[in-house]
Amino acid sequence: MSNNCEFLWYIPNDVKPGHRGDSAVENHNSLETLTSHARALEDHGWKGALIGTGWGRPDTFTVATALAARTTTFEPLIAIRPGYWRPAHFASAAATLDHLSGGRVRVNIVSGKDNLAAYGDSEGDQANRYGRTKEFMRLTRKLWTEENVSYEGEHFRVNDSTAAPRLQRRGDRLHPKLYFGGASDAAERVSATEADVQLFWGEPLADIGERISRLKALSRELDRDLPPLEFGLRITTLVRDTTGQAWADAEAKVAEMAKGNGVRWNDHRQSVAVGQKRLFDLAARGDVLDYNLYTAPGKFGGGGAGTTWLVGSAEDVARSLLKYRDLGITHFVLSDTPYLSEIKRQGDQLLPLLREHVSA
């Protein structure tokens, strides 16, 4: 098992303040505020941060570019959607930012539902959507690693295309890693053949272990021609000085969510994907699963990474994350609100414990 674990955070680029219970401060999405998050990540031991995407939010690639320009080591994990971008356009834009930032770009490919009509997209049914995603990922990678690319697929085509600037090889890194999520059969087939990193949300250990085994088997069955698929976990981590304080705060947060029926938390209520449904269904198995996986937020609108939380002291949460590491998870994308203060708390309290055991 690799000890090369990486720890990222989450930066909420959103028009409305108070994302998932964050402090609703003035200028919450200003360059100064978002830069303060990115610089705090650098100062407190984090590798970088996921920046989410969706129509009606500030453009993710623009935000990532601005933050890369104002930092020195911060690595943005840029969420993007096929259909919003075309492969050659994206390959060139990402290669440019990777060049300007000294190789700090990471990419999270998102295929879930969006307000497609607002920007002229029409994904069609699930098979069409994931077929297009598969082509997008394969063609983008070809444009990053080959010259004079000609390709004609069902969804995309280019002729004699060479993306510029050319990506610089950095050690064993040929190009930015392509992260991908999704739990449906169609999504897992795409991940098994095209993704560099499969991202999971916060499911119990046994469920994650079963999915890892299935994806490895699918990679063999589908003749994956890339390096072995890596695995990541995107989850909320509620850390306090003591176990008791953490659970008291977690239950208080859920009580507030219940009062407003999840207002400002219901990111994924409108169109429930397979992976989201898996998380919502966990609550029927109990409010707390494994040692400290809290499922109650999902009852009141917590969506995506906000549906289940790991709760406890830094030692409690580190113990749980290391159990995921033992299953083969090497990429961790954590968060809690208020985002800025938790970057500092968890960077100072949680990350040293994780790194101590990862390097042991």
Side-chain angles (χ1 to χ4, degrees):
M1 177 182 57
S2 171
N3 285 331
N4 296 324
C5 291
E6 296 183 334
F7 303 99
L8 291 86
W9 192 253
Y10 172 79
I11 287 181
N13 61 314
D14 212 306
V15 171
K16 297 179 181 177
H19 182 264
R20 287 190 183 157
D22 193 20
S23 302
V25 298
E26 187 177 358
N27 297 322
H28 69 101
N29 64 353
S30 69
L31 181 56
E32 288 69 26
T33 298
L34 297 177
T35 299
S36 72
H37 287 219
R39 287 179 175 165
L41 289 163
E42 290 185 321
D43 293 341
H44 294 271
W46 301 91
K47 190 78 170 177
L50 170 65
I51 306 175
T53 186
W55 187 252
R57 301 173 73 168
D59 178 73
T60 309
F61 202 93
T62 305
V63 172
T65 300
L67 295 183
R70 287 202 165 193
T71 53
T72 56
T73 63
F74 168 77
E75 298 189 11
L77 175 52
I78 308 167
I80 65 105
R81 294 175 182 271
Y84 183 90
W85 290 87
R86 296 188 66 80
H89 180 199
F90 176 72
S92 177
T96 300
L97 181 55
D98 199 64
H99 166 71
L100 294 174
S101 66
R104 289 190 274 147
V105 170
R106 298 162 184 250
V107 180
N108 181 31
I109 306 289
V110 181
S111 287
K113 293 290 187 180
D114 196 20
N115 187 4
L116 308 179
Y119 51 91
D121 189 19
S122 55
E123 285 182 334
D125 60 16
Q126 184 191 70
N128 184 72
R129 185 166 76 249
Y130 284 106
R132 183 175 71 174
T133 298
K134 179 181 174 71
E135 281 192 20
F136 185 96
M137 295 169 79
R138 177 132 301 222
L139 180 51
T140 297
R141 188 182 279 109
K142 284 178 72 69
L143 288 162
W144 280 340
T145 58
E146 301 176 20
E147 297 183 16
N148 307 116
V149 174
S150 292
Y151 176 92
E152 183 162 352
E154 182 180 350
H155 304 278
F156 302 111
R157 56 198 54 85
V158 297
N159 185 53
D160 196 23
S161 180
T162 300
R166 304 305 297 155
L167 278 167
Q168 179 182 340
R169 179 167 185 157
R170 300 172 187 275
D172 60 358
R173 177 189 185 264
L174 298 179
H175 57 75
K177 284 188 182 295
L178 296 178
Y179 293 66
F180 185 68
S184 67
D185 290 342
E188 288 192 341
R189 292 177 76 85
V190 172
S191 191
T193 57
E194 304 301 329
D196 296 311
V197 180
Q198 162 76 35
L199 274 180
F200 302 114
W201 280 329
E203 297 186 40
L205 290 159
D207 297 38
I208 295 288
E210 188 273 333
R211 292 188 64 193
I212 288 175
S213 295
R214 184 167 65 249
L215 282 160
K216 287 181 176 180
L218 262 179
S219 293
R220 294 189 295 269
E221 177 188 327
L222 299 174
D223 295 324
R224 177 183 174 92
D225 59 358
L226 299 170
L229 181 63
E230 300 173 28
F231 302 100
L233 181 68
R234 169 74 186 103
I235 192 168
T236 295
T237 45
L238 193 151
V239 174
R240 298 294 185 268
D241 291 340
T242 67
T243 303
Q245 182 184 355
W247 280 105
D249 286 0
E251 290 167 358
K253 277 192 172 188
V254 169
E256 283 300 312
M257 291 168 62
K259 288 180 185 178
N261 195 28
V263 173
R264 292 188 290 113
W265 290 72
N266 54 359
D267 299 5
H268 295 73
R269 282 293 193 190
Q270 306 216 344
S271 178
V272 180
V274 172
Q276 182 63 66
K277 185 177 185 304
R278 286 174 67 97
L279 293 190
F280 285 148
D281 289 347
L282 291 177
R285 291 159 56 179
D287 279 355
V288 182
L289 303 177
D290 290 343
Y291 174 68
N292 59 340
L293 184 67
Y294 194 32
T295 70
K299 296 179 181 179
F300 304 106
T307 313
T308 57
W309 308 344
L310 287 176
V311 177
S313 65
E315 291 77 9
D316 296 332
V317 173
R319 185 183 309 122
S320 295
L321 291 173
L322 289 168
K323 289 179 180 178
Y324 287 102
R325 191 280 307 263
D326 291 342
L327 293 175
I329 302 289
T330 54
H331 300 261
F332 295 88
V333 185
L334 313 178
S335 68
D336 191 26
T337 56
Y339 291 108
L340 182 56
S341 60
E342 289 305 311
I343 286 171
K344 300 172 183 178
R345 183 210 301 268
Q346 296 193 33
D348 294 345
Q349 296 182 13
L350 179 61
L351 289 190
L353 297 176
L354 294 170
R355 291 207 171 90
E356 173 187 346
H357 290 280
V358 164
S359 61

